[in-house]
Amino acid sequence: MYSTLPNPGRTYKNNIVVSYYKMVSLKPTFYPILQTMTDYAELLKQLQLQVDSLQAENLELKRSQRREIDSRDINDAASEMLRINQLRYRTIFENSLLGNKIIGSDLKILQVNQALVDMLGYQSKNEITGKIIIEFAHPDYAGDWQILQQRLWSKRLPSFNLETRLVKKNGESIWVNVISMLFRDGNDMLGFTTIEDISDRRSEFDVLRMREENFRTITNIIPQQVFTAAPNGKLVFVNKQVCDYLGSNDAEIIQNGWDESIHPEDVEKCRAAWSTSVQTGKDFTIEFRLKNEQDDYRWFLGRATALRNDEDSITLWLGTNTDIQAQKDNEHRKDEFLSIVSHELRTPLTSIKLYNQLSQKNGSPEKQAEFTSKSKSHIIRLERLITDLLDVSRINAGKMTYNIETFDFDKLIKETVDSLQLLNNNHELVVQECDPIEIKGDKHRIEQVLNNLILNAIKYSPDATQVIINSKVISDSIIVSIQDFGIGIEEKDLTRLFDRYYRVDNSSMRFDGLGMGLYISAEILKRHNGSLWIESEPGKGSTFNFLLPINGERNLTVVDTDNKTFYSANFIEVRYNEEKGWLETEWLGYQNLESVKKGCMAILEMVKAAKYTQILNDNTLVRGNWSEAADWGASFWFPALREAGLKQFAWIYSPSAFSRLAADRSVQTDLGDFQTHFFTDKESAEEWLGRQKMFDRV
Ligand code: ADP
């Protein structure tokens, strides 16, 4: 499908294009990406001619001098010859449009021509002779020039060619092409250099190179895989994303293409579509699966479009591969969801239809009353499903409204239980404790939560006969629990139950449902500053609990504190243990985001004030679900404690699975040498802290 275009070798160093080539092989091995550079070989040839003539000139000069000394007899013909040679040499050296200079082994300029003087913006040659050319080099570029000069003079290079920058007398800098070589003058070694002003060409080159570099940078920043291909369809360029995904380098990919990584079922249609596009010049669009480095296939949307020149011929194909796996997964989930919803809606509808037909056929009033009552439960189920679907979409759109009022909570429980009992004969709904209390909230929505939880308890305990309901006032909140003796839930599923449409695998086939009830209930409770949590044992049953603040919000009261050695509140006790040398924190009862944040901030201030290094954190008495604070703990609180100088944090787990899971999530960041350790009893935690204290002293 694809092949390689020639890729010129090149060296970029401090933005200078440096090329080295030997006199024997005058053809430069380097061609910049653009074909606008001088024909260096031609330049070198000219230079060689100048050097040859210079050497001949010098030789002749020497010979004639010797003859002059020997004979003291000035031969007119020889003198004329010398004059002509000198003239020829001077003409070449002097009249060249390129800047010329000759330097001695101390690198000082012995001779320069007017072109170089003009190029540098000086008036006379005297201003330049005796100086070193590097003095005129741009500071950012002098280093490379110097290195090449050293290599030339140490005979490691026979000549060098360099694009670099010179600074003119007026401070303006110009781009020049420099060619230097050595030649022997009797016993002396001299250096000959031509310098060409290439500023015009260079700026054009720079713009193009910058464009190419910008293109590379941009394509490497965007998440998409980007590629370009020649008009015949062969790959020319792939960005970093392609290399990372396929786990290969660009040269290999350009050479071999990625057919090998395309899913066998998609490869033929990809080839066909690409060759059609290449033949017709029409845009290329295809969805296909591509294998990544880990051998997993993901869906991609491949697209390419042809770029054309003024004559409408294709110059390049520019293409992208966009990862559409999430979109594909969503489509799949949507299809699955629609089929489940249709099934769930059709089941009660079919029953209602059946009872209607039966009642039409059988005219007796008793029978009709029986059929009507039987179809009623199906109508209620249908109604509930539609209400849930609407609620989920309201929650998603942030449009769930709440009507806050004060109402008798105990009365609501009893009424809900009574009406559910009427429809469910298989289970006895037992209200064990029901503290009389008025609370602030949306009565209808809280009734919805109770309905969901009690109906689930009935549904998921088909072999049991009882559901137990308790409602107790504890401090500033009401705690409700609904216990069943059914199938139970494994710990690994506990936290995901509140996700939209989540259903535990092994129950989803046996029990009807859409996985919306708990999501809606958790959302309603959250909006009442409450929380929902579960205790469960597979095969034994589950207890769903929820907390609601009586007044709509928690009443977190600080009893007393000196902000350094103790902090006493109705939800936490913090105290410095002088004997052990650590801070002890004991969380009391039901916690939520609000209480956890408040208590944690108080602890942080105490650690900062007294420079504590160890904390013994006791969650034994913690109840409820404070998982919303877990991420805040991981991203803010623990790093802040570490910053304040704390070294060890011994954490005694709560017996509540939800609290344990939240605790685990709170420490999921890399805290370097800061240590957190979990315990199920106080003794082990104390022992560990004591040991760490000893290590720290050592
Ligand atoms: P649905 O019951 O319609 O599937 P829910 O959101 O009410 O939706 O419940 C989500 C999942 O939680 C259920 O599919 C089930 O796997 C599990 N679940 C809920 N309540 C119980 C319970 N009392 N006992 C066991 N599993 C339960």
Side-chain angles (χ1 to χ4, degrees):
M1 188 166 161
Y2 310 112
S3 78
T4 336
L5 278 191
N7 202 4
R10 64 192 104 141
T11 322
Y12 290 104
K13 202 177 170 205
N14 293 343
N15 275 337
I16 301 173
V17 184
V18 184
S19 65
Y20 313 92
Y21 39 95
K22 295 193 180 349
M23 296 283 286
V24 277
S25 130
L26 287 178
K27 197 106 189 104
T29 53
F30 161 74
Y31 284 100
I33 334 162
L34 316 162
Q35 300 299 314
T36 54
M37 307 298 284
T38 319
D39 184 345
Y40 296 123
E42 192 48 45
L43 211 63
L44 260 182
K45 258 188 227 161
Q46 282 177 21
L47 188 64
Q48 189 64 51
L49 279 176
Q50 290 188 45
V51 169
D52 289 349
S53 134
L54 207 66
Q55 269 173 330
E57 151 81 9
N58 271 313
L59 204 67
E60 193 49 49
L61 207 77
K62 291 261 162 63
R63 279 197 200 119
S64 65
Q65 274 171 349
R66 218 173 296 130
R67 277 200 298 275
E68 189 189 355
I69 291 161
D70 286 352
S71 62
R72 302 249 166 227
D73 171 23
I74 299 161
N75 178 313
D76 280 354
S79 160
E80 182 56 14
M81 188 64 185
L82 177 66
R83 206 182 58 76
I84 290 169
N85 271 342
Q86 269 178 334
L87 199 65
R88 194 194 302 152
Y89 152 69
R90 276 213 195 96
T91 312
I92 297 171
F93 185 86
E94 195 54 55
N95 292 348
S96 168
L97 288 175
L98 305 179
N100 285 336
K101 70 173 174 65
I102 292 175
I103 59 171
S105 58
D106 58 357
L107 306 184
K108 283 192 178 150
I109 297 173
L110 299 172
Q111 237 177 311
V112 344
N113 69 351
Q114 193 54 40
L116 188 55
V117 176
D118 293 345
M119 199 186 294
L120 288 170
Y122 288 88
Q123 261 73 48
S124 76
K125 293 179 182 173
N126 291 345
E127 290 177 273
I128 296 176
T129 31
K131 295 211 167 129
I132 295 174
I133 191 70
I134 303 292
E135 290 174 34
F136 300 94
H138 188 289
D140 293 348
Y141 297 82
D144 287 276
W145 198 341
Q146 229 161 0
I147 291 169
L148 289 177
Q149 257 189 349
Q150 279 161 11
R151 291 200 185 143
L152 183 72
W153 284 89
S154 62
K155 307 264 172 53
R156 275 184 285 157
L157 277 179
S159 71
F160 70 80
N161 173 205
L162 164 77
E163 277 188 15
T164 184
R165 296 177 84 179
L166 285 174
V167 182
K168 290 170 67 164
K169 189 176 178 184
N170 65 5
E172 194 187 310
S173 72
I174 50 168
W175 273 103
V176 291
N177 184 47
V178 176
I179 300 180
S180 269
M181 64 177 69
L182 297 184
F183 68 99
R184 184 164 287 288
D185 173 25
N187 290 331
D188 296 333
M189 211 47 168
L190 298 179
F192 185 82
T193 305
T194 64
I195 300 178
E196 184 192 7
D197 186 343
I198 55 161
S199 299
D200 291 350
R201 199 167 64 215
R202 183 68 206 202
S203 61
E204 188 188 323
F205 169 80
D206 276 351
V207 168
L208 285 165
R209 206 187 67 195
M210 228 153 69
R211 271 191 210 154
E212 188 189 281
E213 268 170 19
N214 282 350
F215 175 73
R216 277 172 198 274
T217 314
I218 289 168
T219 62
N220 285 338
I221 292 170
I222 60 172
Q224 264 111 335
Q225 298 181 2
V226 179
F227 60 91
T228 61
N232 63 1
K234 291 186 194 311
L235 274 183
V236 174
F237 162 83
V238 291
N239 72 343
K240 189 173 167 294
Q241 277 66 274
V242 178
C243 301
D244 291 350
Y245 186 82
L246 298 175
S248 183
N249 62 44
D250 57 349
E252 244 171 64
I253 299 167
I254 287 170
Q255 176 74 32
N256 306 322
W258 51 65
D259 284 15
E260 291 267 291
S261 304
I262 297 178
H263 194 285
E265 286 170 22
D266 302 334
V267 73
E268 273 318 314
K269 69 171 183 184
C270 284
R271 278 193 188 133
W274 182 240
S275 81
T276 308
S277 287
V278 170
Q279 274 160 30
T280 60
K282 287 194 179 137
D283 282 358
F284 166 81
T285 310
I286 198 146
E287 288 185 0
F288 65 105
R289 282 158 289 181
L290 194 63
K291 196 164 60 178
N292 60 17
E293 202 183 356
Q294 293 76 37
D295 277 353
D296 296 324
Y297 283 103
R298 291 184 70 82
W299 276 99
F300 280 87
L301 170 67
R303 273 204 172 125
T305 195
L307 306 183
R308 295 166 190 273
N309 60 16
D310 293 344
E311 283 84 49
D312 210 32
S313 319
I314 296 174
T315 51
L316 197 74
W317 284 94
L318 178 61
T320 53
N321 293 330
T322 309
D323 189 326
I324 53 164
Q325 187 62 45
Q327 198 178 312
K328 285 273 173 193
D329 289 346
N330 266 346
E331 277 169 20
H332 180 71
R333 267 200 297 270
K334 218 188 289 167
D335 288 347
E336 220 175 45
F337 180 67
L338 281 177
S339 91
I340 296 171
V341 170
S342 318
H343 171 82
E344 290 291 319
L345 292 176
R346 207 169 39 210
T347 315
L349 255 182
T350 314
S351 307
I352 295 165
K353 239 163 77 185
L354 181 79
Y355 288 125
N356 260 359
Q357 282 165 1
L358 286 173
S359 115
Q360 270 168 5
K361 278 186 199 153
N362 200 321
S364 86
E366 297 79 29
K367 276 284 170 200
Q368 279 195 355
E370 186 196 326
F371 295 142
T372 313
S373 128
K374 276 185 173 160
S375 71
K376 194 178 163 196
S377 71
H378 294 285
I379 292 170
I380 291 172
R381 189 172 149 204
L382 201 60
E383 207 184 354
R384 190 165 295 128
L385 275 171
I386 294 167
T387 313
D388 279 0
L389 280 167
L390 286 172
D391 278 348
V392 168
S393 70
R394 273 193 205 111
I395 292 171
N396 290 347
K399 285 188 181 151
M400 188 96 146
T401 48
Y402 293 87
N403 243 333
I404 306 296
E405 56 181 324
T406 302
F407 62 92
D408 280 338
F409 186 72
D410 48 311
K411 215 168 135 202
L412 176 72
I413 291 200
K414 282 174 195 147
E415 281 169 7
T416 312
V417 167
D418 286 347
S419 62
L420 289 176
Q421 184 69 80
L422 282 177
L423 291 167
N424 296 278
N425 309 323
N426 296 341
H427 291 74
E428 186 195 359
L429 306 180
V430 184
V431 179
Q432 266 182 351
E433 266 182 284
C434 189
D435 289 353
I437 186 83
E438 271 196 344
I439 72 161
K440 242 173 145 179
D442 184 321
K443 188 177 169 193
H444 165 71
R445 293 288 178 202
I446 292 169
E447 183 187 358
Q448 207 177 335
V449 174
L450 283 167
N451 265 317
N452 272 334
L453 299 183
I454 299 173
L455 284 172
N456 273 352
I458 295 168
K459 179 163 72 174
Y460 295 105
S461 64
D463 303 328
T465 53
Q466 258 195 352
V467 170
I468 298 171
I469 296 128
N470 276 298
S471 164
K472 273 182 272 187
V473 174
I474 295 180
S475 166
D476 58 357
S477 305
I478 179 102
I479 314 286
V480 180
S481 68
I482 291 140
Q483 186 183 12
D484 67 56
F485 305 92
I487 60 168
I489 303 158
E490 284 185 47
E491 187 164 316
K492 71 173 174 50
D493 294 310
L494 282 184
T495 47
R496 295 208 53 200
L497 287 190
F498 306 150
D499 292 353
R500 198 170 18 140
Y501 312 135
Y502 186 82
R503 309 199 71 218
V504 176
D505 272 351
N506 63 5
S507 55
S508 61
M509 301 306 282
R510 287 166 52 206
F511 304 94
D512 55 37
L514 286 172
M516 294 186 294
L518 290 183
Y519 170 71
I520 297 169
S521 304
E523 177 67 26
I524 293 172
L525 291 168
K526 203 155 82 187
R527 291 294 294 267
H528 281 83
N529 295 318
S531 60
L532 174 64
W533 69 100
I534 309 158
E535 286 143 22
S536 186
E537 220 179 305
K540 295 222 164 132
S542 313
T543 305
F544 280 70
N545 309 275
F546 68 85
L547 170 149
L548 276 175
I550 293 166
N551 289 320
E553 55 188 40
R554 304 272 329 252
N555 174 22
L556 303 170
T557 322
V558 182
V559 183
D560 199 5
T561 179
D562 67 355
N563 291 320
K564 196 167 180 181
T565 61
F566 75 96
Y567 179 93
S568 179
N570 64 350
F571 60 99
I572 192 170
E573 278 289 332
V574 187
R575 214 158 278 280
Y576 174 59
N577 185 329
E578 221 175 321
E579 187 198 329
K580 308 272 190 190
W582 58 58
L583 197 65
E584 291 186 353
T585 59
E586 191 177 23
W587 296 86
L588 308 170
Y590 296 93
Q591 303 294 337
N592 65 355
L593 178 67
E594 214 181 328
S595 66
V596 170
K597 270 191 171 176
K598 190 167 173 148
C600 282
M601 289 313 288
I603 296 169
L604 181 62
E605 291 315 314
M606 291 168 80
V607 170
K608 280 184 184 165
K611 305 257 175 296
Y612 296 120
T613 57
Q614 295 187 312
I615 288 182
L616 179 79
N617 182 59
D618 194 345
N619 272 22
T620 314
L621 299 177
V622 169
R623 295 288 175 273
N625 179 4
W626 54 273
S627 62
E628 284 192 329
D631 294 334
W632 173 82
S635 63
F636 171 77
W637 193 59
F638 276 108
L641 278 181
R642 183 184 170 218
E643 191 97 325
L646 199 81
K647 287 196 163 63
Q648 285 105 24
F649 191 91
W651 195 328
I652 307 164
Y653 271 137
S654 154
S656 147
F658 262 77
S659 179
R660 279 202 312 274
L661 293 168
D664 291 344
R665 233 171 70 202
S666 310
V667 295
Q668 272 172 6
T669 31
D670 179 13
L671 292 165
D673 54 353
F674 179 86
Q675 291 172 287
T676 51
H677 238 276
F678 289 106
F679 301 90
T680 46
D681 64 292
K682 197 169 177 179
E683 289 70 44
S684 322
E686 286 187 333
E687 203 187 305
W688 178 74
L689 275 185
R691 248 196 339 264
Q692 299 307 316
K693 206 176 255 322
M694 251 166 48
F695 289 150
D696 284 349
R697 277 202 205 105
V698 175

